[in-house]
Coordinates of all heavy atoms in Angstrom, one line a residue:
M22 N 74.2 104.2 108.3 CA 74.9 103.6 107.2 C 73.9 103.3 106.1 O 72.9 102.8 106.3 CB 75.5 102.3 107.7 CG 76.4 101.6 106.8 SD 77.1 100.1 107.4 CE 77.8 100.5 108.9
R23 N 74.3 103.7 104.9 CA 73.5 103.5 103.7 C 73.4 102.0 103.3 O 74.3 101.2 103.7 CB 74.0 104.2 102.5 CG 73.8 105.7 102.6 CD 74.1 106.4 101.4 NE 73.6 105.8 100.2 CZ 74.0 106.0 99.0 NH1 74.9 106.9 98.8 NH2 73.5 105.4 98.0
A24 N 72.4 101.6 102.6 CA 72.2 100.2 102.2 C 73.4 99.7 101.4 O 73.8 98.6 101.5 CB 70.9 100.1 101.4
G25 N 74.0 100.6 100.6 CA 75.2 100.2 99.8 C 76.3 99.8 100.7 O 77.0 98.8 100.4
A26 N 76.5 100.5 101.8 CA 77.6 100.2 102.7 C 77.3 98.9 103.4 O 78.2 98.1 103.6 CB 77.8 101.3 103.7
E27 N 76.1 98.7 103.8 CA 75.7 97.5 104.5 C 75.9 96.3 103.6 O 76.4 95.2 104.0 CB 74.3 97.6 105.0 CG 74.1 98.6 106.1 CD 72.6 98.8 106.5 OE1 71.7 98.1 105.9 OE2 72.4 99.6 107.3
A28 N 75.5 96.4 102.3 CA 75.7 95.3 101.4 C 77.2 95.0 101.2 O 77.6 93.9 101.0 CB 75.0 95.7 100.0
Q29 N 78.0 96.1 101.1 CA 79.5 95.9 100.9 C 80.1 95.1 102.1 O 80.9 94.3 102.0 CB 80.1 97.3 100.8 CG 81.5 97.2 100.3 CD 81.7 96.9 98.8 OE1 80.7 96.7 98.1 NE2 82.9 96.8 98.3
I30 N 79.6 95.5 103.3 CA 80.1 94.8 104.5 C 79.7 93.4 104.6 O 80.4 92.5 104.9 CB 79.7 95.6 105.8 CG1 80.5 96.9 105.9 CG2 79.9 94.7 107.1 CD1 80.0 97.8 107.0
A31 N 78.4 93.1 104.2 CA 77.9 91.8 104.1 C 78.7 90.9 103.1 O 79.0 89.8 103.4 CB 76.4 91.8 103.8
A32 N 79.0 91.5 101.9 CA 79.8 90.8 100.9 C 81.2 90.5 101.4 O 81.7 89.4 101.3 CB 79.8 91.6 99.6
A33 N 81.8 91.5 102.1 CA 83.1 91.3 102.6 C 83.1 90.2 103.7 O 84.0 89.4 103.8 CB 83.7 92.6 103.2
D34 N 82.0 90.2 104.5 CA 81.9 89.2 105.6 C 81.9 87.8 105.0 O 82.5 86.9 105.6 CB 80.7 89.5 106.4 CG 80.6 88.7 107.7 OD1 81.6 88.6 108.4 OD2 79.5 88.1 108.0
R35 N 81.1 87.6 104.0 CA 81.0 86.3 103.4 C 82.4 85.8 102.9 O 82.8 84.6 103.2 CB 80.0 86.2 102.2 CG 78.6 86.3 102.6 CD 77.7 86.0 101.5 NE 77.8 87.0 100.4 CZ 77.2 88.2 100.4 NH1 76.4 88.6 101.4 NH2 77.3 89.1 99.4
V36 N 83.1 86.6 102.2 CA 84.4 86.2 101.7 C 85.4 86.0 102.8 O 86.2 85.0 102.9 CB 84.9 87.3 100.7 CG1 86.4 87.1 100.3 CG2 84.0 87.4 99.5
L37 N 85.5 87.0 103.8 CA 86.5 86.9 104.8 C 86.2 85.8 105.8 O 87.1 85.1 106.2 CB 86.6 88.2 105.6 CG 87.1 89.4 104.7 CD1 86.9 90.7 105.4 CD2 88.6 89.1 104.4
Q38 N 84.9 85.5 106.2 CA 84.7 84.4 107.1 C 85.0 83.1 106.4 O 85.5 82.2 107.0 CB 83.2 84.4 107.5 CG 83.0 85.5 108.5 CD 82.0 85.2 109.6 OE1 81.7 84.1 109.8 NE2 81.5 86.3 110.2
A39 N 84.8 83.0 105.1 CA 85.2 81.7 104.4 C 86.7 81.5 104.4 O 87.2 80.4 104.3 CB 84.7 81.8 102.9
A40 N 87.4 82.6 104.5 CA 88.9 82.6 104.6 C 89.4 82.5 106.0 O 90.6 82.6 106.2 CB 89.5 83.8 103.9
G41 N 88.5 82.3 107.0 CA 89.0 82.0 108.3 C 89.0 83.3 109.2 O 89.5 83.2 110.4
F42 N 88.5 84.4 108.8 CA 88.4 85.6 109.6 C 87.2 85.6 110.5 O 86.2 85.0 110.2 CB 88.3 86.9 108.7 CG 89.6 87.2 108.1 CD1 90.0 86.6 106.9 CD2 90.4 88.3 108.6 CE1 91.2 87.0 106.3 CE2 91.6 88.6 108.0 CZ 92.0 88.0 106.8
S43 N 87.3 86.3 111.7 CA 86.2 86.5 112.6 C 85.8 88.0 112.5 O 86.7 88.8 112.5 CB 86.5 86.1 114.0 OG 86.8 84.7 114.1
R44 N 84.5 88.3 112.5 CA 84.1 89.6 112.3 C 83.8 90.3 113.7 O 83.1 89.7 114.6 CB 82.8 89.7 111.5 CG 82.3 91.1 111.3 CD 81.1 91.1 110.4 NE 80.5 92.4 110.3 CZ 79.3 92.7 109.9 NH1 78.6 91.7 109.4 NH2 78.9 93.9 109.8
Y45 N 84.2 91.5 113.8 CA 83.9 92.4 115.0 C 83.4 93.7 114.4 O 84.3 94.6 114.2 CB 85.1 92.5 115.9 CG 85.7 91.2 116.2 CD1 86.8 90.7 115.5 CD2 85.2 90.5 117.3 CE1 87.3 89.5 115.8 CE2 85.8 89.2 117.6 CZ 86.8 88.8 116.9 OH 87.4 87.5 117.2
G46 N 82.1 93.9 114.2 CA 81.6 95.1 113.6 C 82.1 95.2 112.1 O 81.8 94.3 111.4
S47 N 82.9 96.2 111.8 CA 83.4 96.3 110.4 C 84.9 96.0 110.3 O 85.6 96.4 109.4 CB 83.1 97.7 109.8 OG 83.7 98.7 110.6
T48 N 85.3 95.2 111.3 CA 86.7 94.8 111.4 C 86.8 93.2 111.5 O 85.9 92.6 112.2 CB 87.4 95.4 112.6 OG1 87.4 96.8 112.5 CG2 88.9 94.9 112.7
W49 N 87.7 92.6 110.8 CA 87.9 91.2 110.8 C 89.3 90.8 111.2 O 90.2 91.5 110.8 CB 87.6 90.6 109.4 CG 86.2 90.7 108.9 CD1 85.2 89.7 109.0 CD2 85.5 91.8 108.3 NE1 84.0 90.2 108.4 CE2 84.2 91.5 108.0 CE3 86.0 93.1 108.0 CZ2 83.3 92.3 107.4 CZ3 85.1 94.0 107.4 CH2 83.7 93.6 107.1
N50 N 89.4 89.8 112.0 CA 90.8 89.3 112.4 C 90.9 87.8 112.1 O 89.9 87.1 112.1 CB 90.9 89.4 113.9 CG 91.1 90.8 114.5 OD1 91.3 91.0 115.7 ND2 91.1 91.8 113.7
R51 N 92.2 87.5 111.7 CA 92.5 86.0 111.5 C 93.9 85.8 112.1 O 94.9 86.4 111.6 CB 92.4 85.7 110.0 CG 92.9 84.3 109.7 CD 92.8 84.0 108.2 NE 93.8 84.8 107.5 CZ 93.9 84.8 106.2 NH1 93.1 84.0 105.4 NH2 94.8 85.6 105.5
Q52 N 94.0 84.9 113.0 CA 95.2 84.5 113.6 C 95.9 83.5 112.7 O 95.4 82.5 112.3 CB 95.0 83.9 115.0 CG 96.2 83.4 115.7 CD 96.9 84.6 116.5 OE1 96.1 85.3 117.1 NE2 98.2 84.6 116.6
V53 N 97.2 83.8 112.4 CA 98.0 82.8 111.6 C 99.4 82.8 112.3 O 100.2 83.8 112.2 CB 98.2 83.3 110.1 CG1 99.1 82.3 109.4 CG2 96.8 83.5 109.5
D54 N 99.6 81.7 113.0 CA 100.9 81.6 113.8 C 101.0 82.8 114.8 O 100.1 83.0 115.5 CB 102.1 81.4 112.9 CG 102.0 80.2 112.1 OD1 101.5 79.1 112.6 OD2 102.4 80.2 110.9
E55 N 102.1 83.5 114.7 CA 102.3 84.7 115.6 C 101.7 86.0 115.1 O 101.8 87.0 115.7 CB 103.8 84.9 115.8 CG 104.5 83.8 116.5 CD 106.0 84.1 116.7 OE1 106.3 85.3 116.8 OE2 106.7 83.1 116.8
F56 N 101.0 85.9 114.0 CA 100.5 87.1 113.3 C 99.0 87.1 113.3 O 98.3 86.1 113.4 CB 101.0 87.2 111.9 CG 102.5 87.2 111.7 CD1 103.2 86.0 111.6 CD2 103.2 88.4 111.8 CE1 104.6 86.0 111.5 CE2 104.5 88.4 111.7 CZ 105.2 87.2 111.5
V57 N 98.4 88.4 113.3 CA 97.0 88.5 113.1 C 96.8 89.4 111.9 O 97.3 90.5 111.8 CB 96.3 89.2 114.4 CG1 94.8 89.4 114.1 CG2 96.5 88.4 115.6
D58 N 96.1 88.8 110.9 CA 95.7 89.6 109.7 C 94.5 90.4 110.1 O 93.5 89.9 110.7 CB 95.3 88.6 108.6 CG 96.5 87.8 108.2 OD1 97.7 88.2 108.2 OD2 96.3 86.6 107.7
V59 N 94.4 91.7 109.7 CA 93.3 92.6 110.0 C 92.8 93.2 108.8 O 93.6 93.7 107.9 CB 93.8 93.7 111.0 CG1 92.7 94.6 111.3 CG2 94.3 93.0 112.3
V60 N 91.5 93.2 108.6 CA 90.8 93.9 107.5 C 89.7 94.7 108.1 O 89.0 94.3 109.0 CB 90.2 92.9 106.5 CG1 89.4 93.6 105.5 CG2 91.2 92.0 105.9
N61 N 89.7 96.0 107.7 CA 88.7 96.9 108.2 C 88.0 97.7 107.0 O 88.8 98.1 106.1 CB 89.3 97.9 109.2 CG 88.3 99.1 109.5 OD1 88.4 100.1 108.9 ND2 87.5 98.8 110.5
L62 N 86.7 97.7 107.0 CA 86.0 98.4 106.0 C 85.5 99.7 106.6 O 84.6 99.7 107.5 CB 84.9 97.6 105.4 CG 84.2 98.1 104.1 CD1 85.2 98.2 103.0 CD2 83.0 97.2 103.7
Q63 N 86.0 100.8 106.2 CA 85.6 102.1 106.8 C 84.8 102.9 105.8 O 85.3 103.2 104.7 CB 86.9 102.9 107.1 CG 86.7 104.3 107.6 CD 88.1 105.0 107.8 OE1 89.1 104.4 107.6 NE2 88.0 106.3 108.0
T64 N 83.5 103.2 106.1 CA 82.7 103.9 105.2 C 82.8 105.4 105.4 O 83.1 105.9 106.5 CB 81.2 103.5 105.4 OG1 80.8 103.7 106.7 CG2 81.0 102.0 105.0
S65 N 82.5 106.2 104.4 CA 82.5 107.6 104.5 C 81.3 108.1 105.3 O 80.4 107.3 105.6 CB 82.5 108.3 103.1 OG 81.2 108.0 102.5
E66 N 81.3 109.4 105.8 CA 80.2 109.9 106.6 C 78.9 109.7 105.9 O 77.9 109.3 106.6 CB 80.5 111.4 106.9 CG 81.0 111.6 108.3 CD 81.1 113.1 108.6 OE1 80.0 113.7 108.6 OE2 82.2 113.5 109.0
G67 N 78.8 109.9 104.7 CA 77.5 109.8 104.0 C 77.2 108.4 103.5 O 76.1 108.1 103.1
G68 N 78.2 107.5 103.7 CA 78.0 106.1 103.3 C 78.1 105.8 101.8 O 77.8 104.7 101.4
E69 N 78.6 106.8 101.0 CA 78.6 106.6 99.6 C 79.9 105.9 99.1 O 80.0 105.4 98.0 CB 78.6 108.0 98.8 CG 77.2 108.6 98.9 CD 77.1 109.6 100.1 OE1 78.2 110.0 100.6 OE2 76.0 109.9 100.5
S70 N 80.9 105.9 99.9 CA 82.2 105.3 99.6 C 82.8 104.6 100.8 O 82.4 104.8 101.9 CB 83.2 106.3 99.0 OG 83.4 107.3 99.9
A71 N 83.8 103.8 100.5 CA 84.4 103.0 101.6 C 85.9 102.9 101.3 O 86.4 103.0 100.2 CB 83.9 101.6 101.7
Y72 N 86.7 102.8 102.4 CA 88.1 102.5 102.3 C 88.4 101.2 103.0 O 87.8 100.8 104.0 CB 88.9 103.6 103.1 CG 88.7 105.0 102.6 CD1 87.6 105.8 103.1 CD2 89.5 105.4 101.6 CE1 87.4 107.0 102.6 CE2 89.3 106.7 101.0 CZ 88.2 107.5 101.5 OH 88.0 108.7 101.0
L73 N 89.2 100.4 102.3 CA 89.6 99.1 102.8 C 91.0 99.3 103.5 O 92.0 99.6 102.9 CB 89.7 98.1 101.7 CG 90.1 96.7 102.0 CD1 88.9 96.1 102.9 CD2 90.3 95.8 100.8
N74 N 91.0 99.1 104.8 CA 92.2 99.2 105.6 C 92.6 97.8 105.9 O 91.8 97.0 106.4 CB 91.9 100.0 106.9 CG 91.4 101.3 106.7 OD1 92.0 102.2 106.0 ND2 90.2 101.6 107.2
T75 N 93.9 97.5 105.7 CA 94.4 96.2 106.0 C 95.7 96.3 106.9 O 96.4 97.4 106.8 CB 94.8 95.4 104.8 OG1 95.7 96.1 104.0 CG2 93.5 95.1 103.9
G76 N 96.0 95.3 107.6 CA 97.2 95.3 108.4 C 97.6 94.0 108.9 O 96.8 93.0 108.8
I77 N 98.8 93.9 109.4 CA 99.3 92.7 110.1 C 99.8 93.1 111.5 O 100.6 94.0 111.6 CB 100.5 92.1 109.2 CG1 100.0 91.7 107.8 CG2 101.1 90.9 110.0 CD1 101.1 91.4 106.9
Y78 N 99.4 92.4 112.5 CA 99.7 92.6 113.8 C 100.7 91.5 114.3 O 100.5 90.3 114.1 CB 98.5 92.6 114.7 CG 98.7 92.7 116.2 CD1 98.9 93.9 116.8 CD2 98.7 91.6 117.0 CE1 99.1 94.0 118.2 CE2 98.9 91.6 118.3 CZ 99.2 92.8 118.9 OH 99.4 92.9 120.3
H79 N 101.7 91.9 115.1 CA 102.6 91.0 115.7 C 102.8 91.5 117.1 O 103.4 92.6 117.3 CB 103.9 90.8 114.9 CG 104.8 89.8 115.4 ND1 105.6 89.9 116.5 CD2 105.0 88.5 115.0 CE1 106.3 88.8 116.7 NE2 105.9 87.9 115.8
A80 N 102.4 90.7 118.1 CA 102.5 91.2 119.5 C 103.8 91.7 120.0 O 104.0 92.7 120.6 CB 101.9 90.1 120.5
R81 N 104.9 90.9 119.7 CA 106.2 91.3 120.2 C 106.7 92.6 119.6 O 107.3 93.4 120.3 CB 107.2 90.2 120.0 CG 107.0 89.0 120.9 CD 108.1 88.0 120.8 NE 108.2 87.6 119.4 CZ 108.8 86.5 118.9 NH1 109.4 85.7 119.8 NH2 108.9 86.2 117.6
V82 N 106.4 92.8 118.3 CA 106.8 94.0 117.7 C 106.0 95.2 118.2 O 106.5 96.2 118.6 CB 106.7 93.9 116.1 CG1 107.0 95.2 115.5 CG2 107.6 92.8 115.6
Y83 N 104.7 95.0 118.3 CA 103.8 96.0 118.8 C 104.2 96.4 120.3 O 104.3 97.6 120.6 CB 102.3 95.5 118.8 CG 101.3 96.5 119.4 CD1 100.8 97.5 118.6 CD2 100.9 96.4 120.7 CE1 99.8 98.3 119.2 CE2 100.0 97.2 121.3 CZ 99.5 98.2 120.5 OH 98.5 99.1 121.0
E84 N 104.5 95.4 121.1 CA 104.8 95.7 122.5 C 106.2 96.3 122.7 O 106.5 96.7 123.8 CB 104.6 94.4 123.3 CG 103.2 94.0 123.4 CD 102.9 92.6 123.9 OE1 103.9 91.9 124.4 OE2 101.8 92.1 123.8
A85 N 107.0 96.4 121.6 CA 108.3 97.0 121.8 C 108.1 98.6 122.0 O 109.0 99.2 122.5 CB 109.1 96.8 120.5
W86 N 107.0 99.1 121.6 CA 106.7 100.5 121.8 C 105.4 100.9 122.4 O 105.1 102.0 122.7 CB 107.0 101.3 120.5 CG 105.9 101.2 119.5 CD1 104.8 102.1 119.4 CD2 105.7 100.3 118.4 NE1 104.0 101.7 118.3 CE2 104.5 100.7 117.7 CE3 106.4 99.2 118.0 CZ2 104.1 99.9 116.6 CZ3 106.0 98.5 116.9 CH2 104.8 98.9 116.2
Q87 N 104.5 99.9 122.6 CA 103.2 100.1 123.2 C 102.9 99.1 124.3 O 103.5 98.0 124.3 CB 102.1 99.9 122.1 CG 102.1 100.9 121.0 CD 101.6 102.3 121.4 OE1 100.9 102.4 122.3 NE2 102.1 103.3 120.7
P88 N 102.1 99.5 125.3 CA 101.7 98.5 126.3 C 100.9 97.3 125.6 O 100.3 97.5 124.6 CB 100.8 99.3 127.2 CG 100.9 100.7 126.8 CD 101.4 100.8 125.5
P89 N 101.1 96.1 126.2 CA 100.4 95.0 125.6 C 98.9 95.2 125.6 O 98.3 95.9 126.4 CB 100.7 93.8 126.6 CG 101.8 94.3 127.4 CD 101.8 95.8 127.4
L90 N 98.2 94.7 124.5 CA 96.8 94.7 124.4 C 96.2 93.7 125.4 O 96.9 92.7 125.7 CB 96.3 94.4 123.0 CG 96.7 95.4 121.9 CD1 96.3 94.9 120.6 CD2 96.1 96.7 122.2
R91 N 95.0 93.9 125.9 CA 94.5 92.9 126.8 C 94.2 91.6 126.1 O 94.0 91.6 124.9 CB 93.2 93.5 127.5 CG 92.1 93.7 126.6 CD 90.8 94.1 127.4 NE 89.7 94.4 126.5 CZ 89.1 93.6 125.7 NH1 89.3 92.3 125.7 NH2 88.1 94.1 124.9
E92 N 94.2 90.5 126.9 CA 94.0 89.2 126.3 C 92.6 89.1 125.6 O 91.6 89.6 126.2 CB 94.0 88.2 127.5 CG 93.9 86.7 127.0 CD 95.1 86.2 126.4 OE1 96.2 86.7 126.7 OE2 95.0 85.2 125.6
G93 N 92.6 88.6 124.4 CA 91.4 88.5 123.7 C 90.9 89.7 123.0 O 89.8 89.8 122.5
A94 N 91.6 90.8 123.0 CA 91.2 92.1 122.4 C 91.1 91.9 120.9 O 91.8 91.2 120.3 CB 92.2 93.2 122.7
V95 N 90.1 92.6 120.3 CA 90.0 92.7 118.9 C 91.2 93.6 118.4 O 91.4 94.7 118.9 CB 88.7 93.3 118.5 CG1 88.6 93.6 117.0 CG2 87.5 92.5 118.9
I96 N 91.9 93.1 117.4 CA 93.1 93.8 116.9 C 92.5 94.8 115.8 O 91.8 94.4 114.9 CB 94.1 92.9 116.2 CG1 94.5 91.8 117.2 CG2 95.3 93.7 115.7 CD1 95.2 92.3 118.5
R97 N 92.7 96.1 116.0 CA 92.3 97.1 115.1 C 93.4 97.4 114.1 O 94.6 97.1 114.3 CB 91.9 98.4 115.8 CG 90.8 98.1 116.8 CD 90.6 99.3 117.8 NE 91.9 99.6 118.4 CZ 92.2 100.7 119.0 NH1 91.4 101.7 119.1 NH2 93.4 100.9 119.6
E98 N 93.0 97.9 112.9 CA 94.0 98.2 111.9 C 95.1 99.2 112.4 O 96.2 99.0 112.1 CB 93.3 98.8 110.7 CG 94.2 99.2 109.5 CD 94.6 100.6 109.6 OE1 93.9 101.5 110.2 OE2 95.6 101.0 109.0
E99 N 94.7 100.1 113.3 CA 95.7 101.0 113.8 C 96.7 100.4 114.8 O 97.7 101.0 115.2 CB 95.0 102.3 114.4 CG 94.0 102.0 115.5 CD 92.6 101.9 115.0 OE1 92.4 101.6 113.8 OE2 91.7 102.2 115.8
D100 N 96.4 99.2 115.3 CA 97.3 98.4 116.1 C 98.4 97.7 115.4 O 99.3 97.1 115.9 CB 96.5 97.4 117.0 CG 95.5 98.0 117.9 OD1 95.7 99.1 118.4 OD2 94.4 97.4 118.1
C101 N 98.2 97.6 114.1 CA 99.1 96.8 113.2 C 100.5 97.4 113.0 O 100.6 98.6 113.0 CB 98.4 96.5 111.9 SG 96.9 95.5 112.0
V102 N 101.4 96.5 112.9 CA 102.8 97.0 112.6 C 103.1 97.2 111.1 O 104.0 98.0 110.8 CB 103.8 96.0 113.2 CG1 103.7 95.9 114.7 CG2 103.7 94.6 112.6
V103 N 102.3 96.6 110.3 CA 102.3 96.9 108.9 C 100.8 97.3 108.5 O 99.9 96.5 108.9 CB 102.7 95.7 108.0 CG1 102.6 95.9 106.6 CG2 104.1 95.2 108.5
R104 N 100.6 98.4 107.8 CA 99.3 98.9 107.5 C 99.2 99.4 106.1 O 100.2 99.9 105.5 CB 98.9 100.0 108.4 CG 98.9 99.7 109.9 CD 98.9 100.9 110.8 NE 97.7 101.8 110.5 CZ 97.5 102.9 111.1 NH1 98.3 103.3 112.0 NH2 96.4 103.6 110.9
D105 N 98.0 99.3 105.5 CA 97.8 99.9 104.2 C 96.4 100.3 104.1 O 95.4 99.7 104.6 CB 98.1 98.8 103.1 CG 98.3 99.4 101.7 OD1 98.4 100.7 101.6 OD2 98.4 98.6 100.8
L106 N 96.2 101.4 103.3 CA 94.9 102.0 103.0 C 94.6 101.8 101.6 O 95.5 102.3 100.8 CB 94.8 103.4 103.4 CG 93.6 104.2 103.0 CD1 92.3 103.7 103.6 CD2 93.7 105.7 103.3
H107 N 93.6 101.2 101.2 CA 93.3 100.9 99.8 C 92.3 101.9 99.2 O 91.6 102.6 100.0 CB 92.8 99.5 99.6 CG 93.8 98.5 100.1 ND1 94.8 98.0 99.3 CD2 93.9 97.9 101.3 CE1 95.5 97.1 100.0 NE2 95.0 97.1 101.2
E108 N 92.3 102.0 97.9 CA 91.4 103.0 97.2 C 90.0 103.1 97.7 O 89.4 102.1 98.1 CB 91.5 102.6 95.7 CG 90.8 103.6 94.8 CD 91.7 104.9 94.7 OE1 92.9 104.8 94.9 OE2 91.1 105.9 94.4
S109 N 89.4 104.2 97.6 CA 88.0 104.4 98.0 C 87.1 103.8 96.9 O 87.5 103.9 95.7 CB 87.7 105.9 98.1 OG 86.3 106.2 98.2
H110 N 86.0 103.2 97.3 CA 85.1 102.6 96.3 C 83.7 103.3 96.5 O 83.2 103.4 97.6 CB 85.0 101.1 96.6 CG 86.3 100.4 96.3 ND1 86.7 100.1 95.1 CD2 87.3 100.0 97.2 CE1 87.9 99.6 95.2 NE2 88.3 99.5 96.4
D111 N 83.1 103.7 95.4 CA 81.8 104.3 95.4 C 80.8 103.2 95.4 O 80.9 102.2 94.7 CB 81.7 105.2 94.1 CG 80.5 106.0 94.1 OD1 79.7 105.9 95.1 OD2 80.3 106.8 93.1
F112 N 79.7 103.4 96.2 CA 78.6 102.4 96.3 C 77.5 102.7 95.3 O 76.5 102.1 95.2 CB 78.0 102.4 97.7 CG 78.9 101.9 98.7 CD1 79.2 102.6 99.9 CD2 79.5 100.6 98.6 CE1 80.0 102.0 100.9 CE2 80.3 100.1 99.5 CZ 80.6 100.8 100.7
G113 N 77.7 103.7 94.4 CA 76.8 104.1 93.4 C 76.6 103.0 92.3 O 77.3 102.0 92.4
D114 N 75.8 103.2 91.4 CA 75.6 102.3 90.3 C 76.9 102.1 89.5 O 77.6 103.1 89.2 CB 74.5 102.7 89.3 CG 73.1 102.7 90.0 OD1 72.9 101.9 90.9 OD2 72.3 103.6 89.7
R115 N 77.2 100.9 89.1 CA 78.3 100.6 88.3 C 77.9 100.3 86.9 O 77.0 99.5 86.7 CB 79.1 99.4 88.8 CG 79.7 99.8 90.2 CD 80.5 98.6 90.7 NE 80.8 99.0 92.1 CZ 81.9 98.6 92.7 NH1 82.8 97.9 92.1 NH2 82.1 98.9 93.9
Q116 N 78.4 100.9 85.9 CA 78.0 100.7 84.5 C 79.2 100.3 83.7 O 80.3 100.6 83.9 CB 77.3 101.9 84.0 CG 76.1 102.2 84.9 CD 75.2 103.2 84.2 OE1 75.3 103.5 83.0 NE2 74.3 103.8 85.0

């Protein structure tokens, strides 16, 4: 992972932890009532850009078509019942 990607993850971690999220690698979860908010920062192979994946997980909706996740599992963006992929961001110099 390039230094730019690491810096981006560190910056996201500061903001998301202050908002009540817990970090698991490059994925963050926050439980709010029956929902889990999910944020994932996915870097490109070369580490020059990143995609911000977000989602909302609800166990009863998820389990209507998938087996239940194990207790205490980290909720991944692909587990979410509502998902979004946000624009790619370049880690190069900004002018």
Side-chain angles (χ1 to χ4, degrees):
M22 186 181 311
R23 285 190 46 198
E27 291 174 4
Q29 193 75 1
I30 289 172
D34 190 46
R35 285 190 298 277
V36 171
L37 292 169
Q38 287 214 19
F42 285 81
S43 297
R44 180 178 174 194
Y45 308 95
S47 58
T48 298
W49 292 262
N50 286 184
R51 175 178 64 182
Q52 180 87 37
V53 179
D54 299 322
E55 295 181 24
F56 301 92
V57 177
D58 298 327
V59 178
V60 175
N61 170 264
L62 191 61
Q63 176 185 351
T64 57
S65 65
E66 260 188 56
E69 291 91 20
S70 60
Y72 298 92
L73 182 65
N74 303 302
T75 59
I77 300 170
Y78 172 84
H79 189 278
R81 288 187 306 197
V82 175
Y83 177 86
E84 292 168 8
W86 78 90
Q87 295 288 335
L90 296 175
R91 67 174 171 72
E92 184 76 24
V95 174
I96 307 300
R97 301 168 303 164
E98 180 265 337
E99 55 265 28
D100 298 326
C101 293
V102 296
V103 176
R104 299 167 57 183
D105 198 8
L106 170 64
H107 301 274
E108 189 71 27
S109 173
H110 296 280
D111 187 0
F112 290 128
D114 293 331
R115 296 180 189 214
Q116 300 193 17

